[in-house]
Amino acid sequence: MTLTCRTILIVMCLISPLAGAHPHSFIDLDASLVIENKSLTGIKMIWEMDELTSAELLLDASMAKDNPNVWQSMADELIENTRNQLYFTEVRANGRLVEFAEKTNNYSLHRHGNKAVLTFVLPMAKPIPLAKNAVVISTYEQSYYVDMRYPSEKSIHLPTNVAEICSIKLNTPKPSSSLLDYARSLDKNNSPGEDMMLGSKFAQTITLTCQ
C-alpha cells in the first residue's frame, strides 16, 4: 500500500496545495458484513470523501451535466485503482491473512451533497466460516496521506440473523505524541519510508467474533 499519484485514488492527487501535514484527505468509512450460510463472503463498503477531496470529481460530473456515463467512467477508474491497492483493506481470520476475489462488479459512485461517495462490495476469495472464528478487518492508506476511519461503531453493520451469535468491536489506536508530531511534520510532497508502515499505526480495526 504505497503512495503513488495514480494508483491510490484519482482524488488523492487533487488536494489543495495549501494542505498542511499528513493526512491531507479524509474518508469516512461504513461497512456492512455480507454473511451467507454463517460465513463471511464479503464486505459492503461505503467511502464518503471529504468536500475538498470530492471537489474535482463533482466538478467533472457537473460539467458533464451529471451524465451517468461520466459517473460510471469515474467509478470504473476509482475501483480499478482501489483494487490494485487491495482495496486498502486487510482481513485476517484467526491471525491468517485472507485473500480477496479477483474483482468486484458491484460498485457505484454518486454525490451526497458536496461529497463524492464510492460504494462497492469487497468479495472474499473463499467464504470465511464464522463459528469459533475471530476476523479482524482494517482499512487504511499506508503513507497516511489519506485518513480512512469509521466515525463510530454504528458505521459497522451485522445482519440481524447473526446478531445473536456474533459481536463486533471497533478499536481506535492511540498513537504516541512523537508519532503524531512526525505525521504532522510531513508536507504534501513528503512520504514516510515504506518500512515505517505509518498508516497502519493509525488504522482502526474491526474485530468480529462468533460463537
Side-chain angles (χ1 to χ4, degrees), residues 35-128:
I35 295 173
E36 301 174 3
N37 299 320
K38 296 185 178 180
S39 293
L40 179 68
T41 60
I43 307 169
K44 182 181 179 181
M45 295 280 199
I46 301 176
W47 294 2
E48 185 173 83
M49 307 168 202
D50 68 82
E51 294 181 358
L52 187 58
T53 306
S54 302
E56 190 74 15
L57 289 171
L58 298 184
L59 177 61
D60 287 348
S62 178
M63 291 179 66
K65 298 182 180 180
D66 282 327
N67 186 318
N69 292 333
V70 172
W71 281 102
Q72 186 61 50
S73 178
M74 291 191 297
D76 290 343
E77 189 165 359
L78 281 169
I79 206 68
E80 179 64 18
N81 292 339
T82 302
R83 184 182 66 83
N84 288 340
Q85 297 294 321
L86 299 178
Y87 302 96
F88 297 91
T89 299
E90 182 179 280
V91 177
R92 292 183 179 273
N94 285 340
R96 294 184 177 182
L97 194 63
V98 172
E99 293 184 0
F100 304 135
E102 179 65 21
K103 60 189 298 187
T104 176
N105 295 315
N106 191 351
Y107 60 88
S108 65
L109 181 68
H110 68 276
R111 178 200 305 266
H112 180 214
N114 292 326
K115 297 180 179 181
V117 181
L118 179 67
T119 301
F120 64 96
V121 175
L122 170 56
M124 304 296 109
K126 297 179 180 179
I128 304 171

Side-chain angles (χ1 to χ4, degrees), residues 8-22:
I8 293 184
L9 289 174
I10 304 169
V11 291
M12 304 319 172
C13 308
L14 304 175
I15 307 303
S16 165
L18 299 179
H22 282 44

